[in-house]
PDB file of all heavy atoms in Angstrom:
ATOM      1  N   ILE A 158       1.785   3.651 -10.443  1.00 98.00           N
ATOM      2  CA  ILE A 158       0.565   4.471 -10.421  1.00 98.00           C
ATOM      3  C   ILE A 158       0.335   5.088 -11.801  1.00 98.00           C
ATOM      4  O   ILE A 158      -0.782   5.089 -12.319  1.00 98.00           O
ATOM      5  CB  ILE A 158       0.649   5.559  -9.329  1.00 98.00           C
ATOM      6  CG1 ILE A 158       0.682   4.917  -7.933  1.00 98.00           C
ATOM      7  CG2 ILE A 158      -0.526   6.534  -9.442  1.00 98.00           C
ATOM      8  CD1 ILE A 158       1.056   5.870  -6.802  1.00 98.00           C
ATOM      9  N   GLN A 159       1.404   5.588 -12.405  1.00 98.00           N
ATOM     10  CA  GLN A 159       1.290   6.190 -13.738  1.00 98.00           C
ATOM     11  C   GLN A 159       0.839   5.136 -14.754  1.00 98.00           C
ATOM     12  O   GLN A 159      -0.048   5.395 -15.571  1.00 98.00           O
ATOM     13  CB  GLN A 159       2.618   6.798 -14.155  1.00 98.00           C
ATOM     14  CG  GLN A 159       2.562   7.510 -15.480  1.00 98.00           C
ATOM     15  CD  GLN A 159       3.882   8.163 -15.855  1.00 98.00           C
ATOM     16  OE1 GLN A 159       4.906   7.945 -15.226  1.00 98.00           O
ATOM     17  NE2 GLN A 159       3.851   8.978 -16.885  1.00 98.00           N
ATOM     18  N   ASP A 160       1.417   3.945 -14.692  1.00 98.00           N
ATOM     19  CA  ASP A 160       1.016   2.859 -15.597  1.00 98.00           C
ATOM     20  C   ASP A 160      -0.438   2.472 -15.359  1.00 98.00           C
ATOM     21  O   ASP A 160      -1.183   2.230 -16.305  1.00 98.00           O
ATOM     22  CB  ASP A 160       1.919   1.634 -15.426  1.00 98.00           C
ATOM     23  CG  ASP A 160       3.344   1.875 -15.918  1.00 98.00           C
ATOM     24  OD1 ASP A 160       3.587   2.890 -16.630  1.00 98.00           O
ATOM     25  OD2 ASP A 160       4.215   1.058 -15.582  1.00 98.00           O
ATOM     26  N   PHE A 161      -0.837   2.401 -14.087  1.00 98.00           N
ATOM     27  CA  PHE A 161      -2.220   2.078 -13.749  1.00 98.00           C
ATOM     28  C   PHE A 161      -3.183   3.071 -14.396  1.00 98.00           C
ATOM     29  O   PHE A 161      -4.233   2.686 -14.922  1.00 98.00           O
ATOM     30  CB  PHE A 161      -2.426   2.066 -12.228  1.00 98.00           C
ATOM     31  CG  PHE A 161      -3.861   1.917 -11.830  1.00 98.00           C
ATOM     32  CD1 PHE A 161      -4.458   0.665 -11.802  1.00 98.00           C
ATOM     33  CD2 PHE A 161      -4.637   3.027 -11.517  1.00 98.00           C
ATOM     34  CE1 PHE A 161      -5.799   0.523 -11.461  1.00 98.00           C
ATOM     35  CE2 PHE A 161      -5.968   2.896 -11.178  1.00 98.00           C
ATOM     36  CZ  PHE A 161      -6.547   1.639 -11.150  1.00 98.00           C
ATOM     37  N   ALA A 162      -2.833   4.346 -14.353  1.00 97.00           N
ATOM     38  CA  ALA A 162      -3.705   5.390 -14.908  1.00 97.00           C
ATOM     39  C   ALA A 162      -3.936   5.212 -16.410  1.00 97.00           C
ATOM     40  O   ALA A 162      -4.928   5.690 -16.939  1.00 97.00           O
ATOM     41  CB  ALA A 162      -3.117   6.769 -14.616  1.00 97.00           C
ATOM     42  N   LYS A 163      -3.027   4.514 -17.070  1.00 96.00           N
ATOM     43  CA  LYS A 163      -3.119   4.324 -18.523  1.00 96.00           C
ATOM     44  C   LYS A 163      -3.781   3.005 -18.924  1.00 96.00           C
ATOM     45  O   LYS A 163      -4.075   2.792 -20.094  1.00 96.00           O
ATOM     46  CB  LYS A 163      -1.721   4.364 -19.141  1.00 96.00           C
ATOM     47  CG  LYS A 163      -1.026   5.695 -18.985  1.00 96.00           C
ATOM     48  CD  LYS A 163       0.397   5.606 -19.520  1.00 96.00           C
ATOM     49  CE  LYS A 163       1.169   6.875 -19.260  1.00 96.00           C
ATOM     50  NZ  LYS A 163       2.568   6.756 -19.653  1.00 96.00           N
ATOM     51  N   ILE A 164      -3.995   2.112 -17.968  1.00 96.00           N
ATOM     52  CA  ILE A 164      -4.551   0.792 -18.268  1.00 96.00           C
ATOM     53  C   ILE A 164      -6.002   0.927 -18.712  1.00 96.00           C
ATOM     54  O   ILE A 164      -6.785   1.637 -18.075  1.00 96.00           O
ATOM     55  CB  ILE A 164      -4.460  -0.131 -17.036  1.00 96.00           C
ATOM     56  CG1 ILE A 164      -3.008  -0.426 -16.693  1.00 96.00           C
ATOM     57  CG2 ILE A 164      -5.210  -1.437 -17.258  1.00 96.00           C
ATOM     58  CD1 ILE A 164      -2.823  -1.179 -15.398  1.00 96.00           C
ATOM     59  N   PRO A 165      -6.381   0.216 -19.766  1.00 96.00           N
ATOM     60  CA  PRO A 165      -7.787   0.257 -20.197  1.00 96.00           C
ATOM     61  C   PRO A 165      -8.710  -0.299 -19.112  1.00 96.00           C
ATOM     62  O   PRO A 165      -8.333  -1.200 -18.352  1.00 96.00           O
ATOM     63  CB  PRO A 165      -7.828  -0.639 -21.436  1.00 96.00           C
ATOM     64  CG  PRO A 165      -6.417  -0.890 -21.818  1.00 96.00           C
ATOM     65  CD  PRO A 165      -5.557  -0.615 -20.627  1.00 96.00           C
ATOM     66  N   LEU A 166      -9.903   0.228 -19.057  1.00 96.00           N
ATOM     67  CA  LEU A 166     -10.889  -0.186 -18.059  1.00 96.00           C
ATOM     68  C   LEU A 166     -11.172  -1.688 -18.122  1.00 96.00           C
ATOM     69  O   LEU A 166     -11.372  -2.328 -17.092  1.00 96.00           O
ATOM     70  CB  LEU A 166     -12.184   0.612 -18.223  1.00 96.00           C
ATOM     71  CG  LEU A 166     -13.213   0.487 -17.121  1.00 96.00           C
ATOM     72  CD1 LEU A 166     -12.626   0.818 -15.761  1.00 96.00           C
ATOM     73  CD2 LEU A 166     -14.402   1.390 -17.406  1.00 96.00           C
ATOM     74  N   THR A 167     -11.144  -2.271 -19.321  1.00 97.00           N
ATOM     75  CA  THR A 167     -11.393  -3.715 -19.444  1.00 97.00           C
ATOM     76  C   THR A 167     -10.345  -4.529 -18.697  1.00 97.00           C
ATOM     77  O   THR A 167     -10.666  -5.521 -18.059  1.00 97.00           O
ATOM     78  CB  THR A 167     -11.430  -4.150 -20.921  1.00 97.00           C
ATOM     79  OG1 THR A 167     -10.223  -3.721 -21.568  1.00 97.00           O
ATOM     80  CG2 THR A 167     -12.638  -3.577 -21.643  1.00 97.00           C
ATOM     81  N   LYS A 168      -9.089  -4.099 -18.752  1.00 97.00           N
ATOM     82  CA  LYS A 168      -8.018  -4.799 -18.031  1.00 97.00           C
ATOM     83  C   LYS A 168      -8.177  -4.613 -16.518  1.00 97.00           C
ATOM     84  O   LYS A 168      -7.986  -5.561 -15.745  1.00 97.00           O
ATOM     85  CB  LYS A 168      -6.644  -4.300 -18.498  1.00 97.00           C
ATOM     86  CG  LYS A 168      -5.479  -4.980 -17.816  1.00 97.00           C
ATOM     87  CD  LYS A 168      -5.373  -6.442 -18.180  1.00 97.00           C
ATOM     88  CE  LYS A 168      -4.142  -7.063 -17.535  1.00 97.00           C
ATOM     89  NZ  LYS A 168      -4.078  -8.501 -17.680  1.00 97.00           N
ATOM     90  N   ILE A 169      -8.547  -3.408 -16.101  1.00 97.00           N
ATOM     91  CA  ILE A 169      -8.779  -3.160 -14.672  1.00 97.00           C
ATOM     92  C   ILE A 169      -9.911  -4.049 -14.167  1.00 97.00           C
ATOM     93  O   ILE A 169      -9.811  -4.646 -13.096  1.00 97.00           O
ATOM     94  CB  ILE A 169      -9.075  -1.670 -14.406  1.00 97.00           C
ATOM     95  CG1 ILE A 169      -7.825  -0.835 -14.659  1.00 97.00           C
ATOM     96  CG2 ILE A 169      -9.587  -1.454 -12.980  1.00 97.00           C
ATOM     97  CD1 ILE A 169      -8.039   0.661 -14.600  1.00 97.00           C
ATOM     98  N   GLU A 170     -10.977  -4.162 -14.954  1.00 98.00           N
ATOM     99  CA  GLU A 170     -12.106  -5.013 -14.559  1.00 98.00           C
ATOM    100  C   GLU A 170     -11.668  -6.468 -14.405  1.00 98.00           C
ATOM    101  O   GLU A 170     -12.085  -7.157 -13.477  1.00 98.00           O
ATOM    102  CB  GLU A 170     -13.247  -4.900 -15.574  1.00 98.00           C
ATOM    103  CG  GLU A 170     -14.019  -3.608 -15.484  1.00 98.00           C
ATOM    104  CD  GLU A 170     -14.694  -3.415 -14.133  1.00 98.00           C
ATOM    105  OE1 GLU A 170     -15.195  -4.385 -13.543  1.00 98.00           O
ATOM    106  OE2 GLU A 170     -14.718  -2.261 -13.662  1.00 98.00           O
TER     107      GLU A 170
END
Side-chain angles (χ1 to χ4, degrees):
I158 295 168
Q159 183 178 10
D160 291 346
F161 172 82
K163 296 175 186 175
I164 294 173
L166 191 55
T167 54
K168 181 67 177 172
I169 292 173
E170 286 299 322

